[in-house]
């Protein structure tokens, strides 16, 4: 599995531990660490008895900055000042994802399971209309993703959200005025949309 990673990405990796192993299952998973992104835990999976198929989620880490930048470029014209974060999925991608995959191609494949979190500084505008505009721009780019559009309760709540705590903000006491939780189907259609009111944040 290490050889596969090093051959695919041309980097050195180190094993941290086994991950999500289940007795009787026909696969093995490891957490590994890259010399380039030393603080992150990358997943690698080997499956199959006759022919081994290798999969990993390293691309999510390699493309994170580009994905967040691209989403920010699309979000800011709609929402104004906002914070945009991409949630690294705890899953591996299909084996045909190349090491040199571009962000656009990654965002256009439903198997990437992209989830973005957008925190809007000023929530005074028509939020439904803003969501529709943002969704239309996603459709135009043929991106397929899901996520949360969050309108913090006040400026203090907006300021407290960071890249480190946006997934764990329930523990930070984060509150919002309103949130739109959405996901897109495999053809880019709106598969799910729920507006949540002014209550403590739940994810």
């Amino acid at each position: 599995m290490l050889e596969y990673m090093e051959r695919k990405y041309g980097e050195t990796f180190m094993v941290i531990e086994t991950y999500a192993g289940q007795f009787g299952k026909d696969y093995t998973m490891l957490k590994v660490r890259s010399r380039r992104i030393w603080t992150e835990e990358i997943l690698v999976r080997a499956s199959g008895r006759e022919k081994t198929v290798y999969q990993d989620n390293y691309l999510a880490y390699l493309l994170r900055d580009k994905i967040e930048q691209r989403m920010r470029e699309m979000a800011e014209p709609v929402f104004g000042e906002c914070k945009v974060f991409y949630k690294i999925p705890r899953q591996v991608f299909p084996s045909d994802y190349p090491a040199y995959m571009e962000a656009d191609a990654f965002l256009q494949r439903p198997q990437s399971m992209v989830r973005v979190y957008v925190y809007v500084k000023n929530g005074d505008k028509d939020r439904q209309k803003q969501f529709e505009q943002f969704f239309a721009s996603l459709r135009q780019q043929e991106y397929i993703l899901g996520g949360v559009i969050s309108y913090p309760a006040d400026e203090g709540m907006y300021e407290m959200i960071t890249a480190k705590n946006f997934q764990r903000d329930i523990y930070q006491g984060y509150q919002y005025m309103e949130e739109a939780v959405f996901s897109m189907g495999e053809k880019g259609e709106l598969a799910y949309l729920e507006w949540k009111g002014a209550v403590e944040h739940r994810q």
Side-chain angles (χ1 to χ4, degrees), residues 56-125:
D56 66 272
N57 73 341
Y58 190 32
L59 269 173
Y61 296 98
L62 296 177
L63 293 175
R64 175 166 51 192
D65 289 347
K66 290 182 179 179
I67 291 171
E68 290 183 347
Q69 179 184 351
R70 188 73 189 97
M71 291 294 103
R72 195 174 297 109
E73 290 170 353
M74 298 175 71
E76 285 181 345
V78 175
F79 302 108
E81 184 177 343
C82 58
K83 297 178 181 180
V84 181
F85 304 112
Y86 164 53
K87 181 180 180 181
I88 301 290
R90 303 305 294 169
Q91 64 168 49
V92 293
F93 303 125
S95 57
D96 65 345
Y97 274 43
Y100 51 83
M101 194 173 196
E102 295 291 338
D104 277 346
F106 187 82
L107 286 161
Q108 289 169 350
R109 290 192 59 173
Q111 297 91 342
S112 301
M113 297 294 289
V114 174
R115 281 187 64 82
V116 295
Y117 289 71
V118 180
Y119 294 88
V120 183
K121 185 172 184 179
N122 181 4
D124 296 337
K125 297 181 181 178

Side-chain angles (χ1 to χ4, degrees), residues 9-170:
Y9 295 103
E11 299 180 38
T12 302
F13 294 84
M14 185 185 89
V15 174
I16 303 172
E17 62 184 2
T18 57
Y19 178 76
Q22 296 183 31
F23 182 75
K25 294 293 184 181
D26 186 24
Y27 68 85
T28 301
M29 290 190 77
L30 293 178
K31 284 183 182 179
V32 303
R33 192 164 274 148
S34 160
R35 298 288 183 188
R36 192 196 325 185
I37 309 177
W38 190 248
T39 59
E40 304 290 359
E41 297 181 344
I42 301 147
L43 297 181
V44 190
R45 172 175 165 154
S47 58
R49 290 198 175 103
E50 294 182 5
K51 181 181 178 182
T52 304
V53 176
Y54 297 100
Q55 299 169 269
D56 66 272
N57 73 341
Y58 190 32
L59 269 173
Y61 296 98
L62 296 177
L63 293 175
R64 175 166 51 192
D65 289 347
K66 290 182 179 179
I67 291 171
E68 290 183 347
Q69 179 184 351
R70 188 73 189 97
M71 291 294 103
R72 195 174 297 109
E73 290 170 353
M74 298 175 71
E76 285 181 345
V78 175
F79 302 108
E81 184 177 343
C82 58
K83 297 178 181 180
V84 181
F85 304 112
Y86 164 53
K87 181 180 180 181
I88 301 290
R90 303 305 294 169
Q91 64 168 49
V92 293
F93 303 125
S95 57
D96 65 345
Y97 274 43
Y100 51 83
M101 194 173 196
E102 295 291 338
D104 277 346
F106 187 82
L107 286 161
Q108 289 169 350
R109 290 192 59 173
Q111 297 91 342
S112 301
M113 297 294 289
V114 174
R115 281 187 64 82
V116 295
Y117 289 71
V118 180
Y119 294 88
V120 183
K121 185 172 184 179
N122 181 4
D124 296 337
K125 297 181 181 178
D126 186 330
R127 298 167 197 162
Q128 179 68 39
K129 185 176 181 181
Q130 284 184 328
F131 174 81
E132 290 170 0
Q133 289 176 331
F134 183 62
F135 183 76
S137 64
L138 295 175
R139 288 291 303 268
Q140 186 175 13
Q141 297 297 322
E142 299 182 354
Y143 293 164
I144 299 174
L145 52 89
V148 178
I149 311 298
S150 185
Y151 295 86
D154 53 43
E155 189 169 345
M157 292 293 166
Y158 177 79
E159 294 299 332
M160 74 182 290
I161 295 298
T162 69
K164 290 184 178 180
N165 70 18
F166 79 95
Q167 294 179 61
R168 301 184 297 274
D169 50 20
I170 184 172

